Amino acid sequence: MPAPRSARIVGALLAVGSVTVFGAACAPEPSRGENQTVASACTAVADTVGDAMAVFAETDAADPSAAATATADVSAQLTTLAPSVRNPDVAAIVADLRSGFDVLATATAAAAGGDLDGVSGLGDATDRIRAGVSEYHDLCAG
């Protein structure tokens, strides 16, 4: 029996998040000092995002309610992380990721509730998340 449409949509949403899980592994050595270096900010982001995304990746795509909860948890972790990132370049990336996951959380919650019209922001969310991960790699891997 094919999966319900909302479960397939949530599965697609989780696939996007899973790509981000593996993209958040860069963790350069932190620098000490009063100003936050890119390396230090990248480390803080890698640890927090990596932990949040590990939970997200383990979520069963066939369970839209669990997917909605996991997505909201990632968004909340990014919101909690944001004030501790004082490097403006890395802070901008965290803001983009947070924005993407906010939209993704709304879309997964809508799908979990059976509202397939609520996933209209999916394209924007996935674009923001992919762009944020790409920017993160460009900045933190170098």
Side-chain angles (χ1 to χ4, degrees):
M1 179 169 123
R5 186 172 176 201
S6 63
R8 288 193 311 265
I9 289 171
V10 170
L13 297 173
L14 288 176
V16 169
S18 295
V19 169
T20 307
V21 170
F22 300 109
C26 155
E29 288 298 312
S31 271
R32 303 287 182 230
E34 200 166 296
N35 293 324
Q36 188 177 36
T37 64
V38 169
S40 178
C42 287
T43 297
V45 171
D47 293 346
T48 300
V49 173
D51 291 347
M53 294 303 297
V55 171
F56 183 76
E58 294 171 4
T59 301
D60 182 5
D63 184 352
S65 181
T69 299
T71 308
D73 288 348
V74 171
S75 180
Q77 291 233 1
L78 289 170
T79 298
T80 300
L81 170 67
S84 68
V85 179
R86 296 177 319 276
N87 180 280
D89 295 330
V90 179
I93 293 169
V94 170
D96 285 346
L97 286 172
R98 187 178 66 205
S99 177
F101 275 101
D102 286 347
V103 174
L104 193 60
T106 300
T108 55
D115 177 12
L116 300 182
D117 292 332
V119 298
S120 61
L122 177 59
D124 180 50
T126 57
D127 288 347
R128 284 177 185 248
I129 292 168
R130 284 186 187 131
V133 169
S134 177
E135 291 172 20
Y136 176 76
H137 280 296
D138 290 347
L139 186 62
C140 294

